[in-house]
Structure formats: structure tokens, C-alpha cells
Amino acid sequence: MLAQEAYASGGLPTALTAMTVTDPVLSWLWGALLFDQAPPTGLFALSALAAAGTSIGAGVALLAHSPTLRTVSAPLAPTARR
């Protein structure tokens, strides 16, 4: 259902970004709520999670300002018929 809503909301880059960011977050929330999963409490685990979150945020920011992203999301010019 989340995938269909993401595809219906806009272009492919928008849908893929939304799914890439929300899928792991929602998966962890479902695991915590349904299976009573406890969050990590160790220093190493928390620092690894912080590094992963920072890397994800930096990757999303870099892709949002990518020149190829604007080229892909622009509408294609109609081709001439012969």
C-alpha cells in the first residue's frame, strides 16, 4: 500500500526516495510494536545507528541536488513522426 501511494504521488525519483526513507523506519516501528523489540542501548550500537542516519541523510541531500535527477524527472520532448 505504501509503494502504491508513493508511485501515485509523483515521479519515480520522489517515490523511490520516499520508500527508501520510510520503509526502514516503518519496519522498525512495526517490529517494536508487534514483536516487543527493544531499541539498542549499547554505545557501539547507538553510534553505528547515528552514523547510518547521518549517511542516509547526506545521501538523500546529495541526490536531491544531483543534476542527473533533474534531467530524469523533466518531461521528454515529443519525437517527430516521419
Side-chain angles (χ1 to χ4, degrees), residues 3 9-10 12-13 18-19 24 26-29 33 41 45 47-51 53 56 58 63 65-66 68 75 78:
S9 69
L12 184 60
M19 289 177 12
L26 290 178
S27 296
W28 185 84
L29 284 175
L33 294 174
T41 56
S47 62
L49 285 174
I56 290 171
L63 287 175
H65 299 291
S66 172
T68 57

Side-chain angles (χ1 to χ4, degrees), residues 7-26:
Y7 288 132
S9 69
L12 184 60
T14 305
L16 288 178
T17 303
M19 289 177 12
T20 300
V21 172
T22 58
D23 188 37
V25 173
L26 290 178

